Coordinates of all heavy atoms in Angstrom, one line a residue:
Y299 N -17.6 45.5 17.1 CA -16.9 45.3 18.3 C -17.0 46.6 19.2 O -17.3 46.5 20.4 CB -15.4 45.0 18.1 CG -14.6 44.9 19.4 CD1 -14.8 43.9 20.2 CD2 -13.9 46.0 19.8 CE1 -14.1 43.8 21.5 CE2 -13.2 46.0 21.0 CZ -13.3 44.9 21.8 OH -12.7 44.9 23.0
F300 N -16.7 47.7 18.6 CA -16.7 49.0 19.5 C -18.1 49.3 19.9 O -18.4 49.8 21.0 CB -16.1 50.1 18.7 CG -14.6 50.0 18.7 CD1 -13.9 49.5 17.5 CD2 -13.8 50.4 19.8 CE1 -12.6 49.4 17.5 CE2 -12.5 50.3 19.7 CZ -11.8 49.8 18.6
S301 N -19.1 49.0 19.1 CA -20.5 49.3 19.4 C -20.9 48.4 20.6 O -21.6 48.9 21.5 CB -21.4 49.0 18.2 OG -22.8 49.2 18.6
A302 N -20.4 47.2 20.7 CA -20.8 46.3 21.8 C -20.0 46.5 23.0 O -20.5 46.3 24.1 CB -20.6 44.8 21.3
N303 N -18.8 47.1 22.9 CA -17.9 47.1 24.1 C -17.5 48.5 24.6 O -16.9 48.6 25.6 CB -16.6 46.3 23.7 CG -16.8 44.9 23.6 OD1 -16.9 44.1 24.5 ND2 -17.0 44.4 22.3
F304 N -17.9 49.5 23.8 CA -17.6 50.9 24.3 C -18.8 51.8 24.4 O -18.7 53.0 24.3 CB -16.6 51.5 23.3 CG -15.2 51.1 23.5 CD1 -14.7 49.8 23.2 CD2 -14.2 52.0 24.0 CE1 -13.4 49.5 23.4 CE2 -12.9 51.7 24.2 CZ -12.5 50.4 23.9
Q305 N -19.9 51.1 24.7 CA -21.2 51.8 24.8 C -21.2 53.0 25.7 O -21.7 54.1 25.4 CB -22.3 50.9 25.2 CG -23.7 51.3 24.7 CD -23.8 51.5 23.2 OE1 -24.2 52.6 22.8 NE2 -23.4 50.6 22.4
P306 N -20.6 53.0 26.9 CA -20.7 54.1 27.8 C -20.0 55.4 27.2 O -20.4 56.5 27.5 CB -19.9 53.7 29.1 CG -20.0 52.2 29.0 CD -19.9 51.8 27.6
E307 N -19.0 55.2 26.4 CA -18.3 56.3 25.8 C -18.9 56.8 24.5 O -18.5 57.9 24.0 CB -16.8 56.0 25.6 CG -16.0 55.8 26.8 CD -15.7 54.3 27.0 OE1 -16.6 53.5 26.9 OE2 -14.5 54.1 27.4
L308 N -19.7 56.1 23.9 CA -20.2 56.4 22.5 C -21.2 57.5 22.5 O -22.2 57.5 23.3 CB -20.7 55.1 21.8 CG -19.7 54.0 21.6 CD1 -20.4 52.8 20.9 CD2 -18.5 54.5 20.7
K309 N -21.1 58.4 21.5 CA -22.0 59.5 21.3 C -22.9 59.2 20.1 O -23.8 60.0 19.7 CB -21.3 60.8 21.1 CG -20.4 61.2 22.2 CD -19.6 62.4 21.9 CE -18.6 62.7 23.0 NZ -17.7 63.9 22.6
G310 N -22.7 58.0 19.5 CA -23.5 57.6 18.3 C -22.8 56.4 17.8 O -21.8 55.9 18.3
P311 N -23.3 55.8 16.7 CA -22.7 54.6 16.2 C -21.3 54.8 15.8 O -20.9 55.8 15.1 CB -23.6 54.3 14.9 CG -24.9 55.0 15.1 CD -24.5 56.2 15.9
P312 N -20.3 53.9 16.2 CA -18.9 54.1 15.8 C -18.8 53.7 14.4 O -19.4 52.8 13.9 CB -18.2 53.1 16.7 CG -19.3 52.0 17.0 CD -20.6 52.8 17.1
K313 N -17.9 54.5 13.7 CA -17.8 54.3 12.2 C -16.3 54.4 11.9 O -15.6 55.4 12.3 CB -18.6 55.3 11.5 CG -18.6 55.2 10.0 CD -19.4 56.2 9.3 CE -19.4 56.1 7.8 NZ -20.2 57.1 7.1
V314 N -15.8 53.4 11.2 CA -14.4 53.5 10.7 C -14.3 54.4 9.5 O -15.0 54.3 8.5 CB -13.9 52.1 10.3 CG1 -12.5 52.2 9.7 CG2 -13.9 51.1 11.4
L315 N -13.4 55.4 9.7 CA -13.3 56.5 8.6 C -11.9 56.4 8.0 O -10.9 56.1 8.6 CB -13.5 57.9 9.3 CG -14.8 58.2 9.9 CD1 -14.7 59.6 10.5 CD2 -15.9 58.1 9.0
S316 N -11.9 56.7 6.7 CA -10.7 56.9 5.9 C -11.0 57.8 4.8 O -12.2 58.0 4.4 CB -10.1 55.6 5.4 OG -10.9 55.0 4.5
G317 N -10.0 58.4 4.2 CA -10.2 59.4 3.1 C -9.0 59.5 2.2 O -8.1 60.3 2.5
R318 N -8.9 58.7 1.2 CA -7.7 58.7 0.3 C -6.4 58.7 1.1 O -6.2 57.8 1.9 CB -7.9 59.9 -0.6 CG -9.2 59.9 -1.4 CD -9.4 61.2 -2.2 NE -10.7 61.2 -2.8 CZ -11.3 62.3 -3.3 NH1 -10.6 63.5 -3.2 NH2 -12.4 62.2 -3.9
D319 N -5.6 59.8 0.9 CA -4.4 59.8 1.7 C -4.5 60.7 2.9 O -3.5 61.2 3.4 CB -3.2 60.2 0.8 CG -3.3 61.6 0.2 OD1 -4.4 62.2 0.4 OD2 -2.3 62.1 -0.3
H320 N -5.7 60.9 3.4 CA -5.9 61.8 4.5 C -5.3 61.2 5.8 O -5.2 60.0 6.0 CB -7.4 62.0 4.8 CG -7.7 62.9 5.9 ND1 -7.6 64.3 5.9 CD2 -8.2 62.6 7.2 CE1 -8.0 64.8 7.0 NE2 -8.4 63.8 7.8
S321 N -4.7 62.1 6.7 CA -4.2 61.7 8.0 C -5.0 62.3 9.1 O -5.2 63.5 9.1 CB -2.7 62.1 8.1 OG -2.2 61.8 9.4
F322 N -5.5 61.5 10.0 CA -6.3 62.0 11.1 C -5.4 62.5 12.2 O -5.4 62.0 13.4 CB -7.3 60.9 11.6 CG -8.3 60.5 10.6 CD1 -8.2 59.5 9.7 CD2 -9.5 61.2 10.6 CE1 -9.1 59.2 8.8 CE2 -10.5 60.9 9.7 CZ -10.3 59.9 8.7
S323 N -4.6 63.5 11.9 CA -3.7 64.0 12.9 C -4.4 64.9 13.8 O -5.5 65.4 13.6 CB -2.6 64.8 12.1 OG -1.8 65.5 13.0
D324 N -3.7 65.2 15.0 CA -4.3 66.2 15.9 C -4.2 67.6 15.4 O -4.8 68.5 16.0 CB -3.5 66.1 17.3 CG -4.0 64.9 18.1 OD1 -4.9 64.2 17.6 OD2 -3.3 64.6 19.1
V325 N -3.4 67.8 14.4 CA -3.2 69.2 13.8 C -3.6 69.1 12.3 O -3.5 68.1 11.7 CB -1.8 69.7 13.9 CG1 -1.5 69.9 15.4 CG2 -0.8 68.7 13.3

């Protein structure tokens, strides 16, 4: 969905990331 609809903003293939109990916080 993001690949098809967010093409102008994409710098490469969009990829859903997760990592155990990691939090993608701003800090």
Side-chain angles (χ1 to χ4, degrees):
Y299 173 78
F300 284 100
S301 182
N303 292 278
F304 277 71
Q305 204 56 234
E307 292 108 314
L308 295 178
K309 302 173 184 177
K313 184 178 179 182
V314 176
L315 298 180
S316 66
R318 301 172 186 166
D319 64 347
H320 180 74
S321 175
F322 291 92
S323 172
D324 285 353
V325 293

